[in-house]
Amino acid sequence: MMKILQRSGLAAMLILLGTMTALAEPQSYSLKVDGLACPFCAFGIEKQLSKIDGVGDLKTDVKAGVVRLTMKDGSLLDKAEAKQAVDRAGFTLRGIEKVRNAPQQAGESQ
Amino acid sequence: MCKYFINRGISGLLFLLWAFPAWAHDPVFSPGPHVLFKDGIEIHVGATRDKRDNATDDEQTLTVKYGLSGDWVIGAEIPYQRVKDDFATQKGVGDMTLSTKYRFWRNDSLGIQETAAVLLKVKLNSSTAQVSTDTTDFLIGLTYGYESLKWYRWASVRYRFNQNQGALSRGNRLFIDAALGYRPEVHDYRAPDTVWLLELNGEFRDRNALSGISINSSGGSRLFVSPGIQWTGRNFSVKAGVQIPLWSNLDAFQPRPDYRASLELEWHL
C-alpha cells in the first residue's frame, strides 16, 4: 500500500513538473498575414509586432505570408493586440496558430 | 549672409546624405499608393536632372514623411535647385512642399496587395531665392497599385493648379502615368531585392497668359518612356530611372526635352 502511494506521488510530481516546464517554455505563434509582397512590408510589420509587450523573436516569410513570433518568458500573445499591430502596419491578419516545439520552430531559417 | 550659410548648410547636408545609399517603393517618376506603417518615419533623398537643349535644371530634395496610421502619411520636402540656360544660372533653396497621401482602398490576399490612394501636395511660397516661383501651387492626385511577389503595376492621374504670378497666368498641368514592375527572383526579405521598372509618363500643359493674352511659346503635351530599377535591402531602398522623350507636341519655340534622370534614396525607420 505504501509503495502504491509512493509511486502515485512520484507520478503526480513528474506530471506537475512536466506541466510547469511546458508553461515556462517560450510560446510561439504563426501569424498568417495577407498583403505581404516586399521587404518594406516585412520591416513595417515586424516593427509594429515588436511593440507588443512580451514579444521576443520575430521572423517573416514573405513568400508564405507568415510571421513567426516567439514570446519571452512564457508570456502569451494577445490576439486583439496582434490584429491591431498588423492593421497598423497596413496589412490584413488572416489567422493565428500556436506553434508547438517553440524553440525549434523559432530557430528555423526562412 | 544668413541665407548664404543656410544654403551652404542644406547643400552640404544633401551632399552628405547623397553619399549614403538609399531607396523607394513606388515608381520613379510617378506616384504609387504606398504609405508608411503607423508612427513610421521615412527619410527620402532625391536628385533629378531635366535637360532641354542648352538648358539644364538640377534639383536635390530632402523629404521627411511620417505615418499617421497604416493608411495615411504626411510629409515635407525641401529642394535645392540649380537652373541653368544660355544666359544665366540661378540656384538656391527652393520652395517647401507639404504633402499627404491617404490609402482609401486595400484588397489583401496571400502575397498580393492591391490598393488605391488619394494625394495632395501644396508647394508653398517659402523661398526668397530666385529659383522660387513666388506662388503657392496645389496638386491633387489619384493612384492605384497592384503589388505581388513577382509583378507590380501602377497607374496615376494628377492635376496641378498653378497660381498666377502677378500679371502672368501660369497654365495648369495634367499628368497621366502607367508603370510596370518585375521582380526576377524572390529572395528572403533580408536579402537584397531588385525590381525592374518601366513607366509611361504623359504631361499635358495649358498655355501661360500675360495680362489675359495667351503666350504662344508655352503649353503642349509630352510623352516619356522611362526605364528604371529599384533595389531594396530590408528598410533601405535605391531607385533610379531615365525619362526618354517618346513624343511631344509643344507649341511654338520651346526647348524639346532631351532626357530627365532621377536617383532616389529612401530609409524607413
Side-chain angles (χ1 to χ4, degrees):
Chain A
M1 186 63 170
M2 199 61 184
K3 274 186 182 174
I4 292 170
L5 285 174
Q6 278 177 347
R7 282 178 189 168
S8 303
L10 189 62
M13 282 176 69
L14 285 171
I15 290 167
L16 188 63
L17 191 65
T19 309
M20 286 171 71
T21 309
L23 282 173
E25 275 180 1
Q27 301 295 303
S28 285
Y29 300 87
S30 176
L31 278 63
K32 293 178 180 171
V33 179
D34 281 345
L36 287 177
C38 69
F40 275 160
C41 308
F43 179 76
I45 204 162
E46 287 190 357
K47 196 91 171 158
Q48 290 298 317
L49 287 169
S50 65
K51 289 180 181 174
I52 298 175
D53 282 344
V55 168
D57 192 39
L58 276 166
K59 285 198 169 127
T60 305
D61 184 340
V62 174
K63 280 187 211 174
V66 168
V67 182
R68 293 191 177 88
L69 181 156
T70 304
M71 303 298 287
K72 289 181 210 164
D73 305 326
S75 46
L76 301 172
L77 179 67
D78 183 323
K79 292 183 180 177
E81 272 191 283
K83 188 177 183 313
Q84 188 182 47
V86 172
D87 188 55
R88 283 178 170 175
F91 303 97
T92 304
L93 181 63
R94 190 156 40 95
I96 301 179
E97 284 177 10
K98 204 164 177 180
V99 179
R100 287 191 165 191
N101 299 324
Q104 286 173 2
Q105 291 280 342
E108 281 177 359
S109 63
Q110 300 305 301
Chain B
M1 182 58 103
C2 185
K3 200 170 87 179
Y4 171 80
F5 281 111
I6 290 170
N7 289 349
R8 291 289 293 238
I10 289 180
S11 59
L13 174 66
L14 288 171
F15 176 77
L16 284 175
L17 289 168
W18 182 256
F20 291 91
W23 31 8
H25 194 225
D26 286 334
V28 181
F29 295 100
S30 54
H34 175 59
V35 287
L36 276 173
F37 49 88
K38 181 174 166 50
D39 297 326
I41 294 172
E42 177 183 310
I43 297 173
H44 191 117
V45 183
T48 56
R49 165 164 286 192
D50 184 353
K51 178 83 172 60
R52 308 174 308 279
D53 291 343
N54 294 327
T56 307
D57 294 352
D58 288 311
E59 182 177 274
Q60 291 93 45
T61 55
L62 172 62
T63 310
V64 178
K65 294 178 186 172
Y66 176 74
L68 293 172
S69 73
D71 294 308
W72 191 8
V73 67
I74 54 171
E77 176 184 297
I78 188 91
Y80 181 84
Q81 295 165 317
R82 184 174 176 273
V83 181
K84 178 178 170 289
D85 59 23
D86 283 337
F87 310 103
T89 299
Q90 295 171 346
K91 55 188 175 183
V93 176
D95 295 317
M96 175 181 273
T97 297
L98 303 178
S99 65
T100 186
K101 194 195 297 185
Y102 181 70
R103 192 164 62 173
F104 63 88
W105 178 75
R106 195 176 85 212
N107 182 26
D108 292 339
S109 54
L110 180 59
I112 296 171
Q113 188 165 65
E114 204 174 2
T115 54
V118 287
L119 57 102
L120 172 68
K121 281 189 174 187
V122 182
K123 188 196 74 67
L124 305 172
N125 181 11
S126 61
S127 171
T128 53
Q130 284 185 310
V131 291
S132 171
T133 57
D134 296 326
T135 58
T136 301
D137 303 326
F138 297 88
L139 181 142
I140 56 168
L142 182 67
T143 172
Y144 159 84
Y146 170 95
E147 302 177 27
S148 73
L149 294 171
K150 208 74 180 167
W151 289 96
Y152 287 69
R153 56 177 184 261
W154 298 272
S156 65
V157 57
R158 290 166 290 160
Y159 194 80
R160 180 170 168 149
F161 299 89
N162 285 328
Q163 193 186 36
N164 294 349
Q165 189 182 40
L168 177 67
S169 170
R170 298 161 61 234
N172 295 335
R173 294 185 185 188
L174 172 70
F175 303 88
I176 298 175
D177 308 282
L180 277 177
Y182 176 67
R183 176 181 284 116
E185 282 186 77
V186 183
H187 301 287
D188 167 51
Y189 82 98
R190 290 170 195 269
D193 176 64
T194 304
V195 176
W196 293 97
L197 303 162
L198 188 65
E199 297 178 50
L200 267 179
N201 311 113
E203 293 182 12
F204 309 90
R205 299 173 170 191
D206 291 339
R207 276 190 183 180
N208 295 343
L210 190 61
S211 303
I213 299 167
S214 177
I215 299 172
N216 286 340
S217 59
S218 66
S221 308
R222 296 191 282 194
L223 184 66
F224 297 88
V225 61
S226 316
I229 186 171
Q230 177 180 340
W231 182 85
T232 308
R234 194 164 158 75
N235 63 327
F236 168 77
S237 169
V238 181
K239 228 167 37 171
V242 181
Q243 274 193 319
I244 302 160
L246 203 61
W247 170 84
S248 66
N249 180 24
L250 300 173
D251 300 332
F253 305 105
Q254 294 185 65
R256 264 49 184 172
D258 291 335
Y259 69 89
R260 287 177 186 160
S262 178
L263 177 67
E264 296 174 35
L265 315 175
E266 185 177 313
W267 290 269
H268 286 187
L269 306 171

